[in-house]
């Protein structure tokens, strides 16, 4: 039995795979067999590891020659296995941690009745519950009779992603209109929007930031089930926890945003936070450093001259290291006023609006045959007038002008709409900071053998140092105030973790070294063993010379001495001929021979004639 | 006296040869010896195959190599990513090597995160990670990607990744770019990919040891082939000439940089072969006398 079962597995899988290769309609059988093969391959890794430990432990216990190497193998194997599997020192994944949110468990069934929403509908046709996306299966249900679905029900608040997935599963307007109505009914109340959400897949309710007393009362007013009351109380407790952090080198421009003033307080060098630090608060705290803006030619020249006058100066060799040109180019690479004007004009365009499914269904029911999915824009396009454009061009290069006031000032000079304001803020927010720009400048100026003096480094990198220090402190506050939900969600490859360290500083150099040893041994073999003892060996060595030369610049240089009418004798052409004709012919012959051998061996294995892969059977 | 010298040379301690090889590799690196590269037809074929793709086309980047072959394959992997990023192609990374994910992440950090910060993960490039199963993985994903890949390398559901929506299998890719160090690698992609599904195009970069075995597949199953560091340097030259203004960054010149030691090491090999044979024949002559 011990030997029969593997025999049967090998035979069945092999025969199925052969059949599926010739019968296209049975491809799915082959996929299934291959997936099982993959599972076995993964298990084989585990068995291989176990066998490795067994062999080396035996060697150590018997004190055979080389037992010390076996001990090293065992220790490093177990260490790598441990730090990889438990993800020792790996922080949780930021995109799975819901930073800024506090969760409290409450299942779908425990939600209060007021969070059950029903929308009467008339959906004729066949709708299969198995087709529902996983994200809504727990929450969505419907009543059905012979004519079709009569009502849709949803427990909890529907999220935008859930609505999109529901809209996509059936492309008919009736279904989509029904989903839109249900989504509108089951959306988070306006007073709670942006703060409260329900995640059915987590079976939890969440609050972003602090759960204030007002919000708590609103939530408790929704229902009085014990589970709901407990969840809200837990949310209130967890989201009101205090964190404090001693700060160093507080940026001069730091101001606590108004909307965060209740939860974030700065007292001297200490920052006190109530509840978790949300990503929005974190972004506000980090956005305190000046950003890159267009520089006039005079400003650029002054900056370059300032750096040039420092110890070390700047190189100016067009054929070698030309730090002055590189610096001038990089300072001029910032965004410019024209780009901003184009962006603001684009943002001011009145775009057609996509009709909702309800609107399309209403049109269809009123007799419209050709339905158009888009409706015309609501108003005219808004572009910057001449006064706004010249004001913008003047102020963006003025280092004393605060760009945060640009929106307000442009509004005074002409039409200015909300989409333009938001596009402006997004654009300015995406501009690089001075520190980040200077860091890139440093890297570029020290490339290709160029150098900078300590004074120049200090001048360029001071803003970056301040930004980096502040970023670290804000990140520290973010992590400190956050309750980890998925401690093992981080990637084991994350930089700085023990696994990464072992890979970067042990595994990588060791494997590269092992492969590099080949070069030395081949060189030694070339001297000792490559002998032209007969004609075939002479041919082989001659070909080796041609290929060795042809794969380097030496071959090309030698070929330059060969006239054009003898181009076929050029080293690179002979190399190409050898590889594409002679080598290909030889390899094809070998491959055909191997293939015939594979067919024969495979048949023997599948039919159970060759059982060497089962082992000796002595164990 | 002459006979003694010949005998001594013939029995030369191999550590002197190791030292010669060390110097042959180290001196060009330290002196930054670089030589111009003339791209071969095979490198041009690889370049042209990627060049004819349009922005938005899907490309599978199968990086099947590990740190031991990074010396030969790292530069071509970097150039592939640089070329595809400049062409605004949608890049789908995966690997059949256990240590391949690290190679992919290094390539992404070196090229995309540094020089293409506007590219968005999930919309312009995605790392699907490693799957065990050797050629079995290729066989399955050629017809059904989700049979094996339900998440990306970071654990995110593949259905929530915008660029994976609508991608049912590898047949949806316009091109497969394989960087291969051995098994599983280029041969398996040829056997289970481009041969079984002729509409799928495949180009590959392989190690010097593997290259001769791949020539028979050119040009039908393999549209182009980069062999070893020479192929990497040629392809790198083509990409830099087309897409990089001025002097390329050191990361984009690694292939050309590593050709310096290759030249000197090859010349040393030729010298050693000749010297070994000369000494061999001289010894034979001495024995006859």
């Amino acid at each position: 039995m011990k030997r029969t079962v593997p025999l049967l597995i090998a035979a069945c899988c092999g025969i199925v795979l052969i059949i599926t290769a010739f019968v296209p309609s049975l491809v799915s059988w082959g996929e299934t067999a291959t997936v099982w093969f993959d599972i076995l391959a993964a298990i084989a890794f585990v068995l291989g590891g176990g066998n490795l430990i067994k062999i080396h432990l035996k060697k150590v216990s018997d004190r055979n020659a080389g037992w010390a190497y076996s001990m090293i193998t065992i220790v490093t194997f177990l260490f790598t296995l441990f730090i990889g599997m438990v993800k020792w020192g790996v922080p949780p994944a930021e995109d799975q941690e819901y930073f800024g949110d506090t969760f409290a468990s409450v299942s779908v069934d425990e939600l209060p009745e007021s969070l059950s929403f029903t929308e009467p509908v008339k959906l004729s046709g066949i709708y299969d519950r198995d087709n529902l996306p996983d994200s809504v299966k727990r929450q969505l249900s419907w009543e059905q009779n012979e004519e079709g679905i009569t009502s849709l029900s949803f427990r909890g608040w529907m999220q935008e992603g859930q609505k999109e997935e529901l809209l996509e599963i059936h492309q008919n307007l009736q279904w989509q209109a029904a989903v839109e109505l249900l989504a509108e009914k089951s959306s988070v109340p306006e007073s709670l929007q942006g703060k409260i959400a329900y995640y059915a897949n987590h079976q939890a309710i969440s609050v972003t930031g602090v759960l204030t007393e007002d919000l708590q009362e609103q939530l408790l007013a929704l229902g009085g089930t014990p589970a709901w009351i407990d969840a809200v109380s837990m949310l209130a407790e967890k989201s009101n926890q205090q964190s404090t952090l001693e700060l160093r080198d507080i940026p001069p421009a730091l101001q606590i945003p108004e909307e965060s003033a209740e939860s974030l307080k700065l007292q001297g060098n200490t920052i006190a936070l109530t509840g978790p630090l949300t990503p929005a608060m974190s972004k506000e705290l980090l956005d305190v450093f000046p950003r890159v803006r267009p520089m006039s030619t005079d400003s650029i020249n002054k900056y370059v001259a300032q750096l040039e006058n420092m110890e070390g100066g700047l190189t100016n060799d067009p054929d070698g290291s030309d730090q002055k040109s590189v610096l001038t180019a990089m300072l001029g690479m910032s965004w410019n006023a024209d780009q901003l004007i184009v962006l603001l004009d684009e943002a001011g365009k009145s775009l057609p609006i996509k009709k909702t499914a309800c609107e399309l269904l209403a049109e269809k029911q009123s007799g419209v045959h050709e339905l158009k999915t888009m409706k015309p824009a609501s108003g005219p396009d808004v572009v910057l007038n001449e006064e706004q454009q010249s004001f913008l061009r003047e102020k963006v290069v003025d280092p004393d002008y605060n760009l945060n006031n640009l929106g307000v000032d442009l509004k005074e000079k002409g039409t200015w709409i909300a989409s333009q304001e938001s596009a402006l803020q997004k654009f300015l927010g995406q501009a690089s900071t001075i520190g980040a720009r200077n860091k890139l400048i440093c890297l570029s100026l020290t490339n290709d053998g160029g150098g900078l003096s300590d004074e120049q480094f200090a001048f360029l990198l001071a803003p970056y140092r301040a930004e980096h220090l502040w970023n670290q402190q804000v990140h520290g506050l973010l992590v400190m105030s956050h309750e980890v939900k998925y401690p093992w969600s981080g990637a084991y490859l994350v930089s700085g973790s023990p696994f990464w360290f072992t890979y970067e500083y042990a595994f990588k150099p060791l494997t590269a070294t092992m492969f590099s040893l080949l070069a030395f041994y081949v060189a030694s073999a070339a001297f000792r063993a490559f002998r032209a003892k007969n004609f075939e060996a002479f041919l082989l060595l001659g070909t080796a010379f041609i290929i060795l030369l042809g794969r380097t610049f030496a071959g090309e240089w030698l070929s330059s001495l060969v006239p054009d009418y003898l181009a076929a004798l050029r080293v690179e052409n002979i190399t190409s001929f050898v590889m594409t004709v002679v080598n290909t012919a030889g390899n094809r012959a070998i491959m055909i021979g191997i293939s015939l051998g594979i067919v024969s061996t495979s048949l023997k294995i599948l039919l159970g004639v060759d059982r060497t892969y089962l082992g000796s059977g002595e164990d | 006296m002459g006979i003694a010298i010949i005998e001594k040379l013939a029995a030369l301690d191999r550590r002197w040869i190791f030292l010669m090889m060390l110097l042959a590799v180290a001196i060009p690196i330290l002196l930054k010896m670089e030589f111009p590269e003339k791209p071969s037809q095979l490198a041009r074929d690889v370049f042209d195959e990627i060049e004819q793709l349009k922005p938005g086309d899907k490309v599978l980047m199968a990086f099947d190599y590990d740190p031991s072959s990074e010396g030969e394959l790292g530069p071509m992997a970097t150039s592939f990513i640089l070329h595809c990023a400049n062409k605004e192609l949608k890049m789908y990374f995966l690997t059949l090597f256990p240590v391949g994910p690290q190679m992919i992440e290094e390539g992404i950090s070196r090229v995309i995160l540094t020089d293409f910060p506007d590219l968005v993960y999930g919309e312009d490039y995605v790392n699907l990670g490693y799957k065990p199963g050797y050629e079995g993985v290729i066989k399955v994903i050629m017809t059904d990607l989700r049979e094996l890949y339900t998440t990306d390398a970071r654990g995110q559901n593949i259905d929530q990744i915008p660029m994976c929506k609508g991608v049912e299998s590898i047949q949806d890719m316009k091109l497969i770019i394989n960087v291969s160090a051995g098994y599983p690698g280029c041969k398996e992609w040829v056997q289970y990919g481009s041969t079984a599904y002729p509409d799928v195009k495949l180009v590959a970069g392989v190690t010097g040891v593997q290259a001769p075995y791949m020539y028979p597949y050119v040009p039908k199953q393999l549209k182009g082939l980069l062999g070893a560091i020479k192929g990497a340097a040629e392809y790198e030259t083509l990409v830099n000439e087309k897409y990089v203004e001025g002097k390329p960054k050191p990361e984009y010149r690694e292939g050309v940089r590593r050709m310096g030691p290759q030249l000197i090491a090859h010349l040393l090999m030729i010298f050693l072969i000749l010297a070994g044979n000369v000494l061999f024949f001289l010894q034979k002559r001495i024995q006859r006398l």
Side-chain angles (χ1 to χ4, degrees), chain A residues 8 32 67-68 72 92 124 127 133 217 282 336 380 483:
Chain A
L8 282 173
T32 308
W67 69 269
I72 293 170
S124 53
Y127 293 90
E217 277 171 20
S282 174
N336 57 47
E483 188 188 334

Side-chain angles (χ1 to χ4, degrees), chain A residues 157-158 183-184 186-198:
Chain A
W157 293 303
M158 192 184 290
E184 200 183 323
S186 60
S187 61
V188 177
E190 212 175 305
S191 56
L192 301 175
Q193 265 179 17
K195 293 286 288 179
I196 304 291
Y198 181 72

Side-chain angles (χ1 to χ4, degrees), chain A residues 85-87 90 92-93 484 486-491:
Chain A
M85 287 191 70
V86 305
K87 290 189 179 174
V90 172
V484 174
Y486 307 110
W488 284 0
S489 59

